[in-house]
């Protein structure tokens, strides 16, 4: 259980912002971003 909590905390500190930026891009553009697309700031 403690290991899962640590992994979740690491996700919140790291990959979550990237995932949210991709999601915001999709909401605005209705497509997934490519490597050259600029993703919105949070």
């Amino acid at each position: 259980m403690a290991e899962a909590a640590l992994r979740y905390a690491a996700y919140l500190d790291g990959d979550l912002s990237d995932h949210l930026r991709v999601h915001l891009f999709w909401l605005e553009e209705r497509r997934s971003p490519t490597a050259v697309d600029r993703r919105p700031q949070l």
Side-chain angles (χ1 to χ4, degrees):
M1 179 79 167
E3 183 179 335
L6 291 173
R7 283 196 312 256
Y8 184 66
Y11 171 71
L12 293 178
D13 288 339
D15 293 336
L16 178 61
S17 65
D18 291 333
H19 292 158
L20 288 174
R21 292 175 68 209
V22 168
H23 185 68
L24 283 172
F25 184 92
W26 189 90
L27 288 173
E28 292 177 349
E29 303 292 330
R30 297 291 185 212
R31 63 181 177 85
S32 295
T34 64
V36 296
D37 286 321
R38 292 187 64 186
R39 296 179 189 150
Q41 295 294 319
L42 295 179

